[in-house]
Amino acid sequence: MAEVLVYVDHVDGAVRKPTLELLTLARRIGEPVAVALGNGAADTAATLAEHGAVKVLTHDASEYADYLVVPKVDALQAAVAAVSPAAVLVPSSAEGKEIAARLALRIKSGVLTDAVDLEAGDEGPVATQSVFAASFTTKTRVSVGTPVITVKPNSAAVEAAPAAGAVEALNVTFSDQATGTKVTARTPRESTGRPELTEAAIVVSGGRGVNGADNFAIIEALADSLGAAVGASRAAVDAGWYPHTNQVGQTGKSVSPQLYIANGISGAIQHRAGMQTSKTIVAVNKDAEAPIFDLVDYGVVGDLFDVVPQLTEEVNTRKG
Amino acid sequence: MSLRIVVTVKYVPDATGDRHFADDLTVDRDDVDGLLSELDEYAVEQALQISENSDDDVEITVLTVGPEDAKDALRKALSMGADKAIHVEDDDLHGTDAIGTSLVLAKAIEKAGFDLVVSGMASTDGTAGIVPALLAERLGVPQVTLLSEVSVEDGVVKGRRDGDTASEQLEASLPAVVSVTDQSGEARYPSFKGIMAAKKKPVEAWDLSDLEIETDEVGLEGAWTAVDSAAERPARTAGTIVKDEGEGGKQLAEFLAGQKFI
C-alpha cells in the first residue's frame, strides 16, 4: 500500500489536534508515515502510533527553531526522497501552507491549500475546498507530481487506529537558503486555558455589539460555561477590544466548529468567510435585519447584555 | 545607495459582489467589478513607509499579472504613491494556478531588478497566501513573511511575525521577499494630487515572450492542479428566529440542549 507523508505540527513533542485529523484522512489514501521535526520530535511517536502512523521519521536540529520555514522544507523534501509517497499532507496553518508551497515547487508537484475534506480518487486524492467566503465548494486535485495538500483543522474526526509507529531517524542536509531568515526572539503566546480557536468544537464570538473591551467578559463567561474558544469580529478587533489572534474572518482565523455562537455580530462577508462552514450557527443581535440571521439555525433578536448572561446562567445550572 | 522595491498586487473580483466561476471553472472576472485586493493595499502602504523612513534613494514599482482591467489595481497603487508600474498581460495566462503565477511574477521581478519584494498576506479571492513563499523559493532569497511590523535599515529587513503559538522577531539580509498582514497599519487613501500624478506615471506592459516564458508553462494547460467541479453551497435552511421577551437566553439554552450541546 502506498505511503502518505503527514507533517507533524507539535509543540515540544505535544502533537496538535489537526495533525491527528490528518492521520485519519491519510489512512483513506494509504499508510501514514509521519515526519516530526525539532525539539521533542521523538516524543510525538506514541500519540502518532495510536492514530495510525506506521512510521515516524524524526530529526532534531537547532535550525528548526532558529530559522524560518526553510529548514522544515529541506527536511520534508528529504522525507519525500526517502519514502516516495503517494501524497504529502500538511496542517493548514500559516506556516504549514508556506512549507507545503515551497516543497511542492522543489519536487515539481502541484499544491492545494485549505482542503476541508479529502478522499481517494482514480487520478489521485480529491480535495474539497470551500471558496469565495464559503459560498462555493470545489473538488480539486493535483495533476502534476506528488500531491501536496494542506488541510484545515476540524476537517476530519480524530480516530484511534493503533499502528507500529516505528521511529526512524531522517537524514537531513540543510540547503544554502536554510539560514536566510533568522528568528532573533520568540515570545510564546500566553495560554488562556481555553481551546485553540481553530480546533475548538464550540466557538463563542463577540462583535461590534459587545461595545467595549471590558464587556468581552460576558462573552468569555459564556465560552467558559460551554468549554468553548472565544472569537471576535474584525470590528471588535479593529476597535482594540480583543486580540487579533482571536479574529474570525477573512483576514483572521477560519473556523469550522460544531457550534458557533455569534453575539452582536452583523455578519458581513468578511466575517462570514471565516465561520460559514460551522455545523450549527446561533446568533444574538439587536437588529432583526442583520445578515447573520440568514445563516442561523437559531437566532435571538434581543440585547446581548440580557440574553447572553441569562444563557450562561442557564448552561451552568443545567450542567449542575 | 538605492533601494529598489517591487510590490506585487492583484486585481480581484469585489468580495462584496456575486463572485462565481466561469464555464471552464476559472474565476469569472467579467461579471463582477474588480479592484485592487484590499490586502495588497497594506503592502503598498508598508513600501511607502519604508521609503519615507529611508535615507536611500527608493524606487517603488508595483507589479501585477492579470487581464486588461488589472490596470485599475496598478493605478490605485500609483495614486497611493508608488513610482511606476509593470503590467504582465497575455491571453495565454488565463487559468494559471499559484505555482504558475509565482513563475511569472518571479521572472518579472528579476527583469525589473529588486532589493526588496513586498506582498500582501494573501489575495482576497484565492486566499491561499502562498505566493510570497513561492517567490522567495524561486528568487533564492530569504522569506520574511506575514509581518505585522516591518522595517528596513542598512540592507537588513526586520519584522514581527505573530504566529499561532508564538510571536517571532525575524531578520534577514536584502535582497528578500516580505509579506505584510492587515495588522501592519491602515493603508492611506489616495489624495487628489496623488490621483492626478498617477495618470502621468509610467506603466510598462510585458507579455510572456518578454519574460521568456513558454506558453505551456502557464495557463489552464500548464497548471499543476485541476478543478474538477465547483458547486454553489446550498443555502442554509431557514432557522428559528425568536424575539427576546425576557426569556431569550433560556430559549436559546433549550435549543442548545435539544442539539446535545449542553
Side-chain angles (χ1 to χ4, degrees), chain A residues 163-184:
Chain A
V167 177
E168 282 180 27
L170 180 68
N171 281 319
V172 180
T173 309
F174 290 120
S175 64
D176 292 345
Q177 304 298 328
T179 54
T181 306
K182 188 161 179 49
V183 179
T184 54

Side-chain angles (χ1 to χ4, degrees), chain B residues 82-246:
Chain B
D83 299 306
K84 61 192 185 80
I86 297 167
H87 183 188
V88 181
E89 186 191 359
D90 200 305
D91 289 346
D92 289 321
L93 284 167
H94 177 79
T96 305
D97 66 1
I99 295 254
T101 300
S102 72
L103 170 70
V104 180
L105 286 172
K107 292 269 192 182
I109 290 165
E110 278 172 335
K111 184 174 161 80
F114 75 104
D115 300 297
L116 180 68
V117 176
V118 185
S119 302
M121 63 190 285
S123 66
T124 57
D125 57 349
T127 72
I130 57 175
V131 165
L134 289 169
L135 288 179
E137 179 71 31
R138 286 194 185 271
L139 296 167
V141 301
Q143 163 193 338
V144 197
T145 47
L146 298 171
L147 303 181
S148 42
E149 257 175 36
V150 60
S151 65
V152 175
E153 207 172 337
D154 301 329
V156 174
V157 56
K158 294 182 185 178
R160 192 183 82 234
R161 172 174 166 121
D162 294 322
D164 286 344
T165 57
S167 177
E168 296 166 327
Q169 295 290 338
L170 305 179
E171 193 176 306
S173 298
L174 298 183
V177 173
V178 157
S179 77
V180 298
T181 73
D182 62 332
Q183 298 300 297
S184 58
E186 196 72 18
R188 68 194 64 188
Y189 286 102
S191 65
F192 179 72
K193 199 175 142 210
I195 292 167
M196 295 313 287
K199 294 182 176 171
K200 295 189 185 114
K201 289 177 179 172
V203 179
E204 269 191 78
W206 293 347
D207 62 15
L208 289 175
S209 63
D210 291 319
L211 300 175
E212 294 174 4
I213 295 171
E214 301 296 329
T215 55
D216 62 2
E217 293 179 83
V218 294
L220 267 180
E221 292 300 312
W224 294 357
T225 50
V227 181
D228 287 339
S229 69
E232 198 158 357
R233 193 181 177 79
R236 294 185 80 105
T237 45
T240 308
I241 314 271
V242 298
K243 192 170 184 315
D244 179 33
E245 310 276 6

Side-chain angles (χ1 to χ4, degrees), chain A residues 50-125:
Chain A
E50 276 171 42
H51 296 90
V54 296
K55 257 191 282 186
V56 181
L57 307 178
T58 65
H59 186 247
D60 190 10
S62 58
E63 279 83 350
Y64 296 118
D66 293 347
Y67 299 93
L68 193 72
V69 173
V70 185
K72 293 167 182 166
V73 180
D74 291 343
L76 207 46
Q77 187 181 12
V80 168
V83 173
S84 301
V88 182
L89 306 185
V90 182
S92 238
S93 61
E95 180 183 64
K97 289 199 278 188
E98 293 182 332
I99 293 169
R102 296 186 72 142
L103 172 75
L105 186 52
R106 286 189 187 182
I107 64 173
K108 301 217 160 18
S109 297
V111 58
L112 299 170
T113 54
D114 293 328
V116 295
D117 198 5
L118 201 60
E119 55 206 313
D122 293 340
E123 299 167 276

Side-chain angles (χ1 to χ4, degrees), chain A residues 119-255:
Chain A
E119 55 206 313
D122 293 340
E123 299 167 276
V126 177
T128 303
Q129 290 168 303
S130 187
V131 302
F132 294 161
S135 58
F136 277 80
T137 301
T138 58
K139 301 273 189 191
T140 52
R141 69 197 148 75
V142 167
S143 49
V144 173
T146 303
V148 180
I149 302 172
T150 79
V151 181
K152 281 169 81 160
N154 278 337
S155 295
V158 174
E159 293 170 3
V167 177
E168 282 180 27
L170 180 68
N171 281 319
V172 180
T173 309
F174 290 120
S175 64
D176 292 345
Q177 304 298 328
T179 54
T181 306
K182 188 161 179 49
V183 179
T184 54
R186 177 177 286 114
T187 315
R189 202 157 290 298
E190 275 179 42
S191 170
T192 58
R194 300 191 182 93
E196 164 71 26
L197 185 55
T198 54
E199 300 170 12
I202 303 179
V203 174
V204 178
S205 285
R208 198 185 299 277
V210 176
N211 199 26
D214 294 344
N215 296 340
F216 256 87
I218 297 171
I219 305 300
E220 291 178 337
L222 175 58
D224 291 342
S225 75
L226 292 163
V230 176
S233 73
R234 183 175 181 173
V237 171
D238 283 354
W241 302 340
Y242 222 68
H244 179 252
T245 45
N246 296 73
Q247 185 176 318
V248 173
Q250 184 158 44
T251 59
K253 301 278 165 53
S254 167
V255 301

